[in-house]
Amino acid sequence: DTGVSQDPRHKITKRGQNVTFRCDPISEHNRLYWYRQTLGQGPEFLTYFQNEAQLEKSRLLSDRFSAERPKGSFSTLEIQRTEQGDSAMYLCASSLDRQPQHFGDGTRLSIL
Amino acid sequence: QKEVEQNSGPLSVPEGAIASLNCTYSDRGSQSFFWYRQYSGKSPELIMFIYSNGDKEDGRFTAQLNKASQYVSLLIRDSQPSDSATYLCAAEYGNKLVFGAGTILRVKS
């Protein structure tokens, strides 16, 4: 069990650029989740995959955000035309069925 | 609107004391509750989860759930300076967790 892995750990980009984050879940976990966390707040749910199917998306996930999980393994989260308000920690979590979710170390996004 | 409320703190306790962290939730639809610990700049780490009314103990940690009062708590016995962190309470609704904003715990040596 190597844990949930996220890459990169930090991303600094200019407003208007596109960014992509990667998440590798714990190997036997079939469920994968993306959350966003801003300073002083708890994580907020963005989206959820069971295997390769994206089954739920939050209203927070505007049309500039897209997530994929090809072949039910790793997942990517892309943000197009980044805005200042996108600055946050993006957390990935995984679980086996309805067992508790385990989080990765996150990707901290800073928009200049 | 599904909400989880926590006192932001900070809660300060002396080393060796019992720290009591509390959480309330708005929607009775949740059946599962979780406590995560988060150190500054790090990811949330699962400490405890509880599904049934009553107490659940694991080492120095005890989670308590009262569904009638929609109340969840976490007790940390023999608090250590290394327990200083933000403690996040989460309720499971469907396929997602809804988190409170967290309570900052400071254990003074």
Side-chain angles (χ1 to χ4, degrees):
Chain A
D1 181 356
T2 58
V4 179
S5 177
Q6 292 189 246
D7 183 72
R9 294 293 310 279
H10 303 275
K11 179 69 177 179
I12 301 172
T13 192
K14 293 181 179 180
R15 184 168 52 91
Q17 298 296 303
N18 299 343
V19 294
T20 300
F21 310 141
R22 176 178 171 125
C23 171
D24 287 272
I26 294 171
S27 59
E28 66 269 23
H29 286 184
N30 56 345
R31 296 188 175 199
L32 187 147
Y33 313 80
W34 286 98
Y35 291 82
R36 180 172 68 187
Q37 186 176 24
T38 53
L39 194 63
Q41 301 298 316
E44 294 177 290
F45 171 80
L46 293 178
T47 191
Y48 151 67
F49 290 85
Q50 181 159 324
N51 299 312
E52 67 276 10
Q54 187 175 20
L55 298 183
E56 188 171 350
K57 292 194 293 186
S58 164
R59 286 173 295 177
L60 292 175
L61 213 66
S62 75
D63 56 7
R64 296 185 299 105
F65 288 70
S66 63
E68 295 181 341
R69 192 184 183 198
K71 302 179 182 178
S73 56
F74 70 93
S75 176
T76 57
L77 177 67
E78 180 182 17
I79 308 174
Q80 296 182 328
R81 304 181 303 280
T82 52
E83 300 174 355
Q84 290 284 351
D86 297 332
S87 294
M89 174 77 86
Y90 289 83
L91 294 164
C92 177
S94 70
S95 71
L96 177 61
D97 297 321
R98 296 191 68 97
Q99 293 183 18
Q101 297 177 29
H102 294 269
F103 284 81
D105 286 337
T107 294
R108 182 169 297 282
L109 174 63
S110 298
I111 308 297
L112 300 178
Chain B
Q1 181 79 358
K2 297 174 174 52
E3 294 181 340
V4 174
E5 299 288 338
Q6 295 181 255
N7 187 322
S8 62
L11 172 67
S12 293
V13 299
E15 184 175 358
I18 296 175
S20 177
L21 304 160
N22 305 312
C23 166
T24 59
Y25 59 98
S26 62
D27 192 318
R28 293 183 181 274
S30 179
Q31 300 296 315
S32 306
F33 302 89
F34 304 83
W35 283 98
Y36 286 83
R37 177 175 63 197
Q38 188 172 31
Y39 293 112
S40 181
K42 302 295 186 181
S43 64
E45 174 191 8
L46 180 68
I47 296 177
M48 294 282 291
F49 56 93
I50 187 166
Y51 305 142
S52 304
N53 271 331
D55 295 359
K56 178 181 179 182
E57 186 174 321
D58 184 2
R60 295 188 297 115
F61 299 98
T62 298
Q64 299 174 317
L65 173 60
N66 183 326
K67 291 186 178 181
S69 300
Q70 296 176 234
Y71 180 90
V72 191
S73 65
L74 178 70
L75 301 178
I76 306 175
R77 289 180 298 281
D78 188 25
S79 296
Q80 301 298 309
S82 59
D83 293 326
S84 298
T86 297
Y87 288 79
L88 298 165
C89 173
E92 185 175 59
Y93 291 104
N95 299 306
K96 65 184 178 188
L97 296 178
V98 175
F99 285 86
T103 298
I104 298 170
L105 173 66
R106 294 180 181 157
V107 181
K108 299 176 292 185
S109 58

